[in-house]
Amino acid sequence: MPVRGISALGSGVALASSWRLGDEAFLGVARHEVAHALGLGHCGRWDCALSERPHPMSLADRPNELCPGCMDLWDGLCRGLAP
Ligand SMILES: [Zn+2]
Ligand SMILES: [Zn+2]
């Protein structure tokens, strides 16, 4: 499987590839990687964009929405980054 995205935890840097992905799937990959860059780890929920691989569904079916728990963390981190 080709690399879809890469990021270092808490680095503030993320890279995601849209190669052969639809807009919706790419959004999920991008959100997953940016979340790592912000410092979020993997999530145990399969219905979360931060779910860990391997995923029981194909990558294209990975949800591009974060679960409520991750969304809270995401919001908190984004607020922390705001000037
Ligand atoms: Zn990940
Ligand atoms: Zn989650």
Side-chain angles (χ1 to χ4, degrees):
M1 180 181 290
V3 171
R4 294 305 190 191
I6 187 165
S7 63
L9 202 64
S11 66
V13 178
L15 183 69
S17 167
S18 60
W19 185 69
R20 283 192 179 178
L21 288 179
D23 287 349
E24 291 295 299
F26 173 63
L27 186 64
V29 171
R31 189 168 277 152
H32 182 111
E33 300 305 336
V34 170
H36 280 329
L38 287 172
L40 267 68
H42 282 139
C43 178
R45 294 178 54 146
W46 294 124
D47 60 345
C48 177
L50 264 176
S51 64
E52 212 171 339
R53 276 167 269 199
H55 199 276
M57 297 183 281
S58 73
L59 185 71
D61 292 332
R62 177 192 282 191
N64 57 34
E65 298 292 338
L66 297 172
C67 73
C70 289
M71 204 63 226
D72 277 355
L73 288 169
W74 172 283
D75 279 348
L77 287 165
C78 288
R79 266 194 295 277
L81 293 175

